[in-house]
Amino acid sequence: MITRLLSHDLPRSRILAAMLILIVLGLAFAPFLFPGVKALNVSAKILIFIVLVASYDLLLGYTGIVSFAHTMFFGIGAYGIAIASTRMGPGWSSLLTGALGAVALSLVLSLIIGLFSLRVRAIFYAMITLAVASAFQTLASQLSEITGGEDGLNFKLPEMLSPAFNLSDTPFLGASLDGRFLTYYLIFFCAALLFLAMLRIVNSPFGRVLQAIRENDFRAEAIGYRTVVFRTLSNVLAAVFATLAGCLLALWLRYNGPDTSLSFEIMIDILLIVVIGGMGTMYGAIFGATIFLLAQGYLQDLMGMASGAAQSVPMLSALLSPDRWLLWLGILFVLSVYFFPTGIVGKLRAEK
C-alpha cells in the first residue's frame, strides 16, 4: 500500500528512508514534541515550503525550465485567501472562494506566460518571468484598496481556526487543543495530499515525457511529442501547486503583504532549497526545506550560545556573533553543494 501511495517511487536507500520517516513523524507530531510557538511556526513553514519547493522542482528538476515567477503564483494564493476573507468576512466559504479565485487567476497567467514565453530558450525565458514577477509585485504594492499596499492585509479565519478557539481547556500530551492546533493539522494534511499528488504526476507517463524533454527536447520533439504543450502544462501545474502553497501560508499567518509572499528573497530561498535537497527528486523538497528552515530559524540562536561560550576568545566570539548568521548560512550552503553536488537525496540514492 505504501508503494502505491508513493507512486512506486521509493527512497531506494535505507538511510534516506529512515531520515524521511524521521522528518515526517517529526512534522506529524510537532505540536506534541515541540509545543513552543516558534517551533510550531517553523514546522508549519517547513510544510508549506515542501509544497512550494516541490512545485518548483516540477519545473526545474523534471522539465528543465528556469523560472523566476514562482513566487508570483505563491503570492496570488496568499492574496486570494486574504482578499476574500477581508471582503467576505471569516468563513469557510471565504476560504474556498479565495482559493478557487487564486487558482483560476494562476491558471490564466501561467497559460499566457507558457504560450508566449516557453518558445524562447533558457535565460530568455527566465528574464521574461523575472520581469513579469517584478511587475506583479509592484502592482500588488500599488493597489492598496484591494491588496492593502505595503501594509498588507490582516484577516480573520473561521472560528474553529482562530487562536481563541479551544477544543479543551486541558492540554493533551502537552499540546494546547486550540485553533492554532487545528490549523496546523489542516496544513499538514493538505501539504501531504499535494505532495503525494505531485509525486504521482512525476511518476506518470506525463512525468516521463517531461523528463525526456529535460534531457533532450529536440529528440522528444522528433519522436512525436509537442514539447511546447508539455512544457506549458508543466508550467500550469507548477503554478497551481505554488498557488495552493500560498493559500496555506495565508491560513497560517492570517496576514499577507508583498514582502510576505512576493519577495524575490523567497525565490532565492526556493532555489537554494532545491539545490540542497536535489533537483529532479520530489523527496529533495522535504530534506531541503527541513534543513534550510531549521537553519534559518535556529542558527542565529545557536550562534548566540556559541558566542557566549567563546567570550574568552574575543576574535572567535566576534566571528560567532548572531549578527553574522547569514555568513555561516552561506558557508553551510557552499559546503552542502561541495559535498552533495547532486543534492542530499541524489547523493544518498547513489550510495544505496
Short mmCIF file of all heavy atoms in Angstrom, two decimals, residues 128-180:
data_model
loop_
_atom_site.label_atom_id
_atom_site.label_comp_id
_atom_site.label_asym_id
_atom_site.label_seq_id
_atom_site.Cartn_x
_atom_site.Cartn_y
_atom_site.Cartn_z
N ILE A 128 12.12 36.85 -18.85
CA ILE A 128 10.72 37.24 -19.04
C ILE A 128 9.93 37.00 -17.75
O ILE A 128 9.16 37.85 -17.31
CB ILE A 128 10.10 36.45 -20.21
CG1 ILE A 128 10.69 36.93 -21.54
CG2 ILE A 128 8.58 36.62 -20.23
CD1 ILE A 128 10.29 36.09 -22.74
N THR A 129 10.13 35.85 -17.13
CA THR A 129 9.42 35.54 -15.89
C THR A 129 9.83 36.49 -14.76
O THR A 129 9.00 36.87 -13.93
CB THR A 129 9.66 34.09 -15.44
OG1 THR A 129 11.07 33.86 -15.28
CG2 THR A 129 9.11 33.12 -16.48
N LEU A 130 11.09 36.88 -14.73
CA LEU A 130 11.56 37.83 -13.72
C LEU A 130 10.86 39.17 -13.89
O LEU A 130 10.44 39.80 -12.90
CB LEU A 130 13.08 37.99 -13.81
CG LEU A 130 13.72 38.99 -12.84
CD1 LEU A 130 13.46 38.59 -11.40
CD2 LEU A 130 15.22 39.10 -13.11
N ALA A 131 10.73 39.62 -15.13
CA ALA A 131 10.08 40.89 -15.41
C ALA A 131 8.59 40.84 -15.02
O ALA A 131 8.07 41.78 -14.41
CB ALA A 131 10.22 41.24 -16.89
N VAL A 132 7.93 39.74 -15.34
CA VAL A 132 6.51 39.60 -15.00
C VAL A 132 6.32 39.59 -13.49
O VAL A 132 5.42 40.24 -12.95
CB VAL A 132 5.94 38.30 -15.63
CG1 VAL A 132 4.52 38.05 -15.13
CG2 VAL A 132 5.94 38.40 -17.15
N ALA A 133 7.18 38.84 -12.77
CA ALA A 133 7.07 38.76 -11.32
C ALA A 133 7.32 40.12 -10.66
O ALA A 133 6.63 40.49 -9.71
CB ALA A 133 8.07 37.73 -10.78
N SER A 134 8.30 40.86 -11.17
CA SER A 134 8.60 42.19 -10.62
C SER A 134 7.44 43.15 -10.85
O SER A 134 7.07 43.93 -9.96
CB SER A 134 9.87 42.75 -11.27
OG SER A 134 10.98 41.92 -11.00
N ALA A 135 6.85 43.07 -12.04
CA ALA A 135 5.71 43.93 -12.35
C ALA A 135 4.52 43.59 -11.45
O ALA A 135 3.82 44.49 -10.96
CB ALA A 135 5.32 43.77 -13.82
N PHE A 136 4.31 42.30 -11.19
CA PHE A 136 3.19 41.89 -10.34
C PHE A 136 3.40 42.35 -8.90
O PHE A 136 2.46 42.79 -8.24
CB PHE A 136 3.03 40.37 -10.39
CG PHE A 136 1.77 39.89 -9.72
CD1 PHE A 136 0.58 39.82 -10.43
CD2 PHE A 136 1.76 39.51 -8.39
CE1 PHE A 136 -0.60 39.38 -9.83
CE2 PHE A 136 0.60 39.07 -7.77
CZ PHE A 136 -0.58 39.01 -8.49
N GLN A 137 4.63 42.28 -8.42
CA GLN A 137 4.91 42.73 -7.05
C GLN A 137 4.67 44.23 -6.91
O GLN A 137 4.10 44.70 -5.92
CB GLN A 137 6.36 42.40 -6.67
CG GLN A 137 6.69 42.76 -5.22
CD GLN A 137 8.10 42.36 -4.83
OE1 GLN A 137 8.89 41.94 -5.66
NE2 GLN A 137 8.43 42.49 -3.56
N THR A 138 5.08 44.99 -7.93
CA THR A 138 4.84 46.43 -7.92
C THR A 138 3.34 46.73 -7.95
O THR A 138 2.85 47.61 -7.23
CB THR A 138 5.53 47.09 -9.13
OG1 THR A 138 6.94 46.80 -9.09
CG2 THR A 138 5.33 48.59 -9.12
N LEU A 139 2.62 45.97 -8.77
CA LEU A 139 1.17 46.16 -8.87
C LEU A 139 0.49 45.87 -7.54
O LEU A 139 -0.40 46.61 -7.10
CB LEU A 139 0.61 45.24 -9.96
CG LEU A 139 -0.86 45.42 -10.35
CD1 LEU A 139 -1.09 46.79 -10.97
CD2 LEU A 139 -1.28 44.32 -11.32
N ALA A 140 0.93 44.81 -6.88
CA ALA A 140 0.34 44.44 -5.58
C ALA A 140 0.60 45.52 -4.54
O ALA A 140 -0.23 45.77 -3.66
CB ALA A 140 0.90 43.10 -5.12
N SER A 141 1.76 46.17 -4.63
CA SER A 141 2.09 47.23 -3.67
C SER A 141 1.28 48.50 -3.91
O SER A 141 0.99 49.24 -2.98
CB SER A 141 3.59 47.55 -3.76
OG SER A 141 4.37 46.42 -3.45
N GLN A 142 0.90 48.73 -5.17
CA GLN A 142 0.23 49.98 -5.52
C GLN A 142 -1.29 49.90 -5.42
O GLN A 142 -1.95 50.92 -5.22
CB GLN A 142 0.65 50.41 -6.92
CG GLN A 142 2.11 50.82 -7.01
CD GLN A 142 2.52 51.26 -8.40
OE1 GLN A 142 1.76 51.07 -9.36
NE2 GLN A 142 3.70 51.84 -8.53
N LEU A 143 -1.85 48.71 -5.57
CA LEU A 143 -3.31 48.56 -5.49
C LEU A 143 -3.74 48.45 -4.04
O LEU A 143 -4.27 47.42 -3.59
CB LEU A 143 -3.77 47.35 -6.29
CG LEU A 143 -3.57 47.40 -7.80
CD1 LEU A 143 -3.98 46.09 -8.45
CD2 LEU A 143 -4.36 48.56 -8.41
N SER A 144 -3.52 49.52 -3.30
CA SER A 144 -3.74 49.49 -1.85
C SER A 144 -5.20 49.25 -1.47
O SER A 144 -5.50 48.67 -0.43
CB SER A 144 -3.24 50.78 -1.21
OG SER A 144 -3.86 51.90 -1.81
N GLU A 145 -6.15 49.69 -2.31
CA GLU A 145 -7.56 49.50 -1.99
C GLU A 145 -7.95 48.02 -2.00
O GLU A 145 -8.89 47.61 -1.31
CB GLU A 145 -8.43 50.27 -2.99
CG GLU A 145 -8.31 51.78 -2.87
CD GLU A 145 -9.26 52.50 -3.82
OE1 GLU A 145 -10.01 51.79 -4.52
OE2 GLU A 145 -9.24 53.74 -3.85
N ILE A 146 -7.22 47.22 -2.77
CA ILE A 146 -7.53 45.79 -2.88
C ILE A 146 -6.58 44.96 -2.02
O ILE A 146 -7.00 44.09 -1.26
CB ILE A 146 -7.46 45.32 -4.35
CG1 ILE A 146 -8.47 46.09 -5.20
CG2 ILE A 146 -7.71 43.81 -4.45
CD1 ILE A 146 -8.37 45.80 -6.68
N THR A 147 -5.29 45.25 -2.14
CA THR A 147 -4.27 44.40 -1.51
C THR A 147 -3.74 44.95 -0.18
O THR A 147 -2.97 44.27 0.49
CB THR A 147 -3.08 44.21 -2.45
OG1 THR A 147 -2.45 45.50 -2.68
CG2 THR A 147 -3.52 43.64 -3.79
N GLY A 148 -4.13 46.18 0.17
CA GLY A 148 -3.60 46.79 1.38
C GLY A 148 -2.25 47.44 1.19
O GLY A 148 -1.67 47.96 2.15
N GLY A 149 -1.74 47.43 -0.06
CA GLY A 149 -0.47 48.09 -0.35
C GLY A 149 0.69 47.47 0.41
O GLY A 149 0.74 46.26 0.64
N GLU A 150 1.63 48.31 0.82
CA GLU A 150 2.81 47.84 1.56
C GLU A 150 2.44 47.31 2.94
O GLU A 150 3.17 46.51 3.52
CB GLU A 150 3.83 48.98 1.70
CG GLU A 150 4.45 49.44 0.40
CD GLU A 150 5.38 48.40 -0.21
OE1 GLU A 150 5.79 47.48 0.52
OE2 GLU A 150 5.67 48.48 -1.41
N ASP A 151 1.32 47.78 3.49
CA ASP A 151 0.90 47.33 4.82
C ASP A 151 0.30 45.93 4.81
O ASP A 151 0.25 45.26 5.85
CB ASP A 151 -0.11 48.31 5.42
CG ASP A 151 0.50 49.68 5.66
OD1 ASP A 151 1.71 49.73 5.94
OD2 ASP A 151 -0.25 50.67 5.57
N GLY A 152 -0.16 45.49 3.65
CA GLY A 152 -0.75 44.17 3.55
C GLY A 152 -2.14 44.09 4.16
O GLY A 152 -2.77 45.11 4.47
N LEU A 153 -2.62 42.87 4.34
CA LEU A 153 -3.98 42.64 4.85
C LEU A 153 -3.94 41.70 6.04
O LEU A 153 -3.37 40.61 5.98
CB LEU A 153 -4.86 42.02 3.75
CG LEU A 153 -5.17 42.88 2.52
CD1 LEU A 153 -5.86 42.03 1.46
CD2 LEU A 153 -6.03 44.07 2.89
N ASN A 154 -4.58 42.13 7.13
CA ASN A 154 -4.84 41.25 8.26
C ASN A 154 -6.28 40.76 8.14
O ASN A 154 -7.16 41.53 7.79
CB ASN A 154 -4.67 41.98 9.59
CG ASN A 154 -3.21 42.25 9.89
OD1 ASN A 154 -2.44 41.33 10.13
ND2 ASN A 154 -2.83 43.53 9.87
N PHE A 155 -6.53 39.52 8.45
CA PHE A 155 -7.89 39.00 8.31
C PHE A 155 -8.14 37.92 9.35
O PHE A 155 -7.21 37.40 9.98
CB PHE A 155 -8.12 38.43 6.90
CG PHE A 155 -7.14 37.36 6.51
CD1 PHE A 155 -7.44 36.01 6.73
CD2 PHE A 155 -5.93 37.68 5.93
CE1 PHE A 155 -6.56 35.03 6.38
CE2 PHE A 155 -5.02 36.69 5.57
CZ PHE A 155 -5.34 35.36 5.80
N LYS A 156 -9.40 37.58 9.52
CA LYS A 156 -9.79 36.55 10.48
C LYS A 156 -10.19 35.28 9.75
O LYS A 156 -10.68 35.31 8.63
CB LYS A 156 -10.96 37.05 11.33
CG LYS A 156 -10.60 38.22 12.24
CD LYS A 156 -11.80 38.65 13.08
CE LYS A 156 -11.44 39.80 14.01
NZ LYS A 156 -12.61 40.23 14.83
N LEU A 157 -9.97 34.16 10.43
CA LEU A 157 -10.33 32.85 9.89
C LEU A 157 -11.62 32.36 10.53
O LEU A 157 -12.10 32.96 11.50
CB LEU A 157 -9.19 31.87 10.17
CG LEU A 157 -7.85 32.15 9.48
CD1 LEU A 157 -6.80 31.15 9.95
CD2 LEU A 157 -8.00 32.09 7.97
N PRO A 158 -12.20 31.27 10.02
CA PRO A 158 -13.37 30.69 10.69
C PRO A 158 -13.07 30.40 12.16
O PRO A 158 -11.92 30.16 12.54
CB PRO A 158 -13.61 29.40 9.89
CG PRO A 158 -13.06 29.69 8.54
CD PRO A 158 -11.89 30.59 8.76
N GLU A 159 -14.09 30.43 12.97
CA GLU A 159 -13.92 30.33 14.42
C GLU A 159 -13.08 29.13 14.84
O GLU A 159 -12.23 29.23 15.73
CB GLU A 159 -15.29 30.25 15.10
CG GLU A 159 -15.21 30.27 16.62
CD GLU A 159 -16.57 30.14 17.27
OE1 GLU A 159 -17.58 30.08 16.53
OE2 GLU A 159 -16.63 30.10 18.50
N MET A 160 -13.26 27.98 14.18
CA MET A 160 -12.51 26.78 14.55
C MET A 160 -11.01 26.94 14.36
O MET A 160 -10.21 26.27 15.03
CB MET A 160 -12.99 25.58 13.72
CG MET A 160 -14.31 24.99 14.15
SD MET A 160 -14.70 23.50 13.21
CE MET A 160 -13.34 22.44 13.66
N LEU A 161 -10.59 27.82 13.44
CA LEU A 161 -9.18 28.01 13.15
C LEU A 161 -8.58 29.22 13.86
O LEU A 161 -7.38 29.49 13.72
CB LEU A 161 -8.96 28.15 11.64
CG LEU A 161 -9.47 26.99 10.77
CD1 LEU A 161 -9.17 27.26 9.31
CD2 LEU A 161 -8.84 25.66 11.20
N SER A 162 -9.38 29.95 14.60
CA SER A 162 -8.87 31.14 15.30
C SER A 162 -8.14 30.72 16.57
O SER A 162 -8.51 29.74 17.22
CB SER A 162 -10.02 32.09 15.64
OG SER A 162 -10.89 31.48 16.57
N PRO A 163 -7.11 31.45 16.97
CA PRO A 163 -6.34 31.09 18.18
C PRO A 163 -7.19 31.07 19.44
O PRO A 163 -6.85 30.37 20.40
CB PRO A 163 -5.28 32.20 18.25
CG PRO A 163 -5.16 32.71 16.86
CD PRO A 163 -6.52 32.59 16.27
N ALA A 164 -8.29 31.82 19.45
CA ALA A 164 -9.13 31.89 20.65
C ALA A 164 -10.00 30.65 20.83
O ALA A 164 -10.54 30.42 21.91
CB ALA A 164 -10.02 33.13 20.60
N PHE A 165 -10.14 29.84 19.77
CA PHE A 165 -11.00 28.66 19.85
C PHE A 165 -10.31 27.56 20.66
O PHE A 165 -9.11 27.31 20.50
CB PHE A 165 -11.30 28.15 18.44
CG PHE A 165 -12.15 26.91 18.42
CD1 PHE A 165 -13.51 26.98 18.61
CD2 PHE A 165 -11.56 25.66 18.22
CE1 PHE A 165 -14.30 25.83 18.58
CE2 PHE A 165 -12.33 24.52 18.19
CZ PHE A 165 -13.70 24.60 18.38
N ASN A 166 -11.04 26.89 21.54
CA ASN A 166 -10.49 25.81 22.36
C ASN A 166 -11.37 24.58 22.29
O ASN A 166 -12.56 24.64 22.58
CB ASN A 166 -10.36 26.26 23.82
CG ASN A 166 -9.11 27.06 24.08
OD1 ASN A 166 -8.02 26.66 23.69
ND2 ASN A 166 -9.26 28.21 24.71
N LEU A 167 -10.75 23.47 21.89
CA LEU A 167 -11.47 22.19 21.95
C LEU A 167 -11.57 21.70 23.39
O LEU A 167 -12.53 21.07 23.77
CB LEU A 167 -10.72 21.14 21.11
CG LEU A 167 -10.93 21.15 19.60
CD1 LEU A 167 -9.99 20.16 18.94
CD2 LEU A 167 -12.37 20.83 19.24
N SER A 168 -10.52 22.02 24.15
CA SER A 168 -10.47 21.59 25.55
C SER A 168 -9.61 22.56 26.33
O SER A 168 -8.59 23.05 25.82
CB SER A 168 -9.91 20.17 25.66
OG SER A 168 -9.68 19.82 27.01
N ASP A 169 -10.00 22.84 27.54
CA ASP A 169 -9.21 23.72 28.40
C ASP A 169 -7.99 23.01 28.97
O ASP A 169 -7.06 23.65 29.45
CB ASP A 169 -10.07 24.25 29.56
CG ASP A 169 -11.18 25.16 29.07
OD1 ASP A 169 -10.97 25.80 28.02
OD2 ASP A 169 -12.25 25.21 29.72
N THR A 170 -7.99 21.68 28.90
CA THR A 170 -6.88 20.89 29.43
C THR A 170 -5.96 20.47 28.29
O THR A 170 -6.43 19.85 27.32
CB THR A 170 -7.40 19.63 30.15
OG1 THR A 170 -8.34 20.02 31.14
CG2 THR A 170 -6.25 18.87 30.78
N PRO A 171 -4.67 20.78 28.36
CA PRO A 171 -3.73 20.35 27.32
C PRO A 171 -3.70 18.83 27.19
O PRO A 171 -3.86 18.11 28.17
CB PRO A 171 -2.38 20.89 27.81
CG PRO A 171 -2.72 22.00 28.73
CD PRO A 171 -4.00 21.60 29.39
N PHE A 172 -3.50 18.34 25.97
CA PHE A 172 -3.42 16.91 25.70
C PHE A 172 -1.99 16.56 25.31
O PHE A 172 -1.47 17.04 24.30
CB PHE A 172 -4.38 16.53 24.57
CG PHE A 172 -4.34 15.07 24.20
CD1 PHE A 172 -4.81 14.11 25.07
CD2 PHE A 172 -3.80 14.69 22.98
CE1 PHE A 172 -4.77 12.76 24.72
CE2 PHE A 172 -3.75 13.35 22.63
CZ PHE A 172 -4.24 12.39 23.50
N LEU A 173 -1.32 15.78 26.14
CA LEU A 173 0.08 15.40 25.93
C LEU A 173 0.97 16.62 25.74
O LEU A 173 1.90 16.64 24.93
CB LEU A 173 0.21 14.46 24.72
CG LEU A 173 -0.52 13.12 24.82
CD1 LEU A 173 -0.35 12.32 23.53
CD2 LEU A 173 0.00 12.31 26.00
N GLY A 174 0.66 17.68 26.46
CA GLY A 174 1.48 18.90 26.41
C GLY A 174 1.08 19.88 25.33
O GLY A 174 1.65 20.97 25.25
N ALA A 175 0.13 19.52 24.48
CA ALA A 175 -0.28 20.40 23.38
C ALA A 175 -1.63 21.05 23.70
O ALA A 175 -2.55 20.39 24.18
CB ALA A 175 -0.39 19.62 22.09
N SER A 176 -1.73 22.34 23.41
CA SER A 176 -2.99 23.07 23.60
C SER A 176 -3.92 22.78 22.43
O SER A 176 -3.56 23.03 21.28
CB SER A 176 -2.73 24.57 23.70
OG SER A 176 -1.90 24.86 24.81
N LEU A 177 -5.09 22.26 22.71
CA LEU A 177 -6.04 21.92 21.65
C LEU A 177 -6.87 23.14 21.28
O LEU A 177 -8.05 23.25 21.58
CB LEU A 177 -6.93 20.77 22.11
CG LEU A 177 -6.21 19.49 22.56
CD1 LEU A 177 -7.22 18.42 22.93
CD2 LEU A 177 -5.28 18.99 21.47
N ASP A 178 -6.22 24.06 20.58
CA ASP A 178 -6.88 25.32 20.19
C ASP A 178 -6.96 25.42 18.68
O ASP A 178 -6.65 24.47 17.95
CB ASP A 178 -6.14 26.51 20.79
CG ASP A 178 -4.65 26.51 20.45
OD1 ASP A 178 -4.24 25.73 19.55
OD2 ASP A 178 -3.90 27.29 21.06
N GLY A 179 -7.36 26.59 18.21
CA GLY A 179 -7.48 26.81 16.77
C GLY A 179 -6.17 26.71 16.04
O GLY A 179 -6.12 26.28 14.88
N ARG A 180 -5.08 27.10 16.71
CA ARG A 180 -3.75 27.00 16.11
C ARG A 180 -3.39 25.54 15.85
O ARG A 180 -2.78 25.20 14.85
CB ARG A 180 -2.73 27.65 17.05
CG ARG A 180 -1.49 28.17 16.39
CD ARG A 180 -1.79 29.36 15.55
NE ARG A 180 -0.58 30.02 15.12
CZ ARG A 180 -0.48 30.73 14.03
NH1 ARG A 180 -1.54 30.89 13.26
NH2 ARG A 180 0.64 31.32 13.68
#
